[in-house]
Amino acid sequence: MSAVAVEGLRKSYGALEALRGVDFTIAPGEVFGLLGPNGAGKTTTVEILEGYRRRDGGRVEVLGFDPERAGRAFRERIGVVLQSSQLWPYLTVRETLRIFAGYYARPRDLGEVIDLVGLGDKRDARVKTLSGGQKRRLDLAVALVGDPDLLFLDEPTTGFDPAARRAAWDVLRGLRSLGKTILLTTHYLDEAHNLADRVGVLVRGRIVRLGRPAELVAASATVEIRYRADGRDVAVRTDDPTRTLHELTGRALAEGTQLEELEVRRATLEDVYLQLVGEEDGEPAP
Amino acid sequence: MRLFLHQLRAEQLIFWRSREAAVFVFVFPILLFLLLSAIYSGEDDGEPVVNVLLAGLLGYGVANTTFGGLAILLVLRRENGILKRLRSTPLPPLTYLAAAVASIVAVFALQTGVLVALAVLVFDADAPAHASALLLVLLLGAASFAALGFAAASLIRTGEGVSPAVNVVVLPMAFLSGGFGPARDLPAILAGVAEALPLKHFVVLVKAAALAGEPPWTHPAAVLVVALWGGAGALVAARRFRWQPRDEG
């Protein structure tokens, strides 16, 4: 049975159709990345799965519960990191976690959770003295303290500098080894590529691609060939790079010219993504 | 019950750790009492003025602490996402709200104890004539103003706005209601306003219990006004109280 199953999920805010039939599943123990530009519907999707928002249509099952009607038993088993939320600034890390631990029937050991998110040397520091990255790791610790089966992380590293992002990734990789199912939203491609087993690309309320990061790249096997000719940059996209390259170089040799700064590059997840977002944004509004 | 006590302990820790809140909500009425008792002396209407001030400041205390303190706490926690986060945990919402009310009422109880002790020990006020009647009145007031605190929190939109909004209501109401000393010679229109608000009636009940030793049911009209305001507050809160920040749909 899947940890999360979403079928034909729809949600509108007034005239705005935020979700227009979203389908995906997440297997137990899987790290699933929901990737998309701002306003694509990532947070709406996640908040419906968490039970914060009601859906207009479609079927949603999370750990066997319908989140709209689920109660304490459901909340015992999920951990939530919201996109933006604060904690009590004057309490220490340990005090904050002790309060949250008290809500759960079987909480994790506090020291273990603190070490897991790398706040060991900050356990007695007041929350207001933590850096942005450390606060975000405390958010994660709060979500973990109930020992959830399923973890929702809504843009866990937005606003981080590169070093803090790398540190957060290390922590998140550590969670994978605990066997937690994780639903991660992000608009950073490298984050999805580095952390997720599978990625769903959400654009304008619809999943436009679904698969392993490497599959997504392979599926659009486009290769880009770049060179300079007559002082101008030329970029050629091709699905048959051997032939295209042969034709280009053959012509250049025949004409006695050079393909200056010749470069052959496989598409990255970023290329795939930008192409998908571009295609979707180009279509007329519904 | 275990969860309620856990949350009550948490609320007390959070309250006293936040100096600004503790000073504004807990100390302020006590400070005003000391100040006013130092300024005014003698008698008012045949009653030592310190007795009148004690009754008035208990009134200001209930409005400032259970109404204002609760409204501020709830709005700030809603707007910074703490309420929303709590909703994702197994803590039942009603347990959380009950603990928040119990915690602020505990703060008010302590404040009342300090006020009465200061008045009796330092300023030679009379000990409350009818202690159990006074307790009953204070509980009624705390419940009613806490309900109004929920209503205010439901109507106030931003964290920046909550403190000014609360004080714009509480301070004038306290002046008109005799919270800071006698308010007998008010212009008719202001007297009418005071009459319609709950605080004046609460101060009447406090005076009756503390000074004349009269239990609250000897003033049924005052009890009714305080209770009606509390009921109206509860109704507004039940319809409008939100757990998520205002800017989220």
Side-chain angles (χ1 to χ4, degrees), chain A residues 47 52-53 72 75-76 78 80 82 85-88 90-92 95 98-100 102-104 126 139 142, chain B residues 2-3 6-7 10 13-14 17-18 20 77 80-82 84-92 244 248-249:
Chain A
E47 293 201 343
Y52 282 117
R53 291 170 198 264
R72 276 180 78 173
R75 294 182 214 291
E76 284 278 356
I78 63 167
V80 170
L82 297 168
S85 68
Q86 297 164 32
L87 288 160
W88 302 286
Y90 299 100
L91 300 194
T92 67
E95 286 166 341
R98 191 179 300 130
I99 289 176
F100 279 94
Y103 301 153
Y104 296 88
R126 301 266 171 111
D139 281 340
V142 165
Chain B
R2 183 193 71 80
L3 271 178
H6 171 78
Q7 188 59 24
L13 177 67
I14 295 160
R17 193 59 75 69
S18 154
E20 290 95 337
R77 287 196 193 162
N80 66 24
I82 289 181
K84 181 175 178 181
R85 186 199 298 254
L86 287 173
R87 281 301 288 263
S88 77
T89 73
L91 178 68
Q244 305 200 10
E248 292 182 13

Side-chain angles (χ1 to χ4, degrees), chain B residues 6 15 19 21 24 34 42 47 56 58-59 94 106 162 171 209 212 218 231 247:
Chain B
H6 171 78
F15 180 85
R19 294 282 147 71
F24 173 72
L34 292 174
E47 190 69 56
L58 287 179
L94 281 179
V162 63
L171 284 173
T218 52
D247 55 9

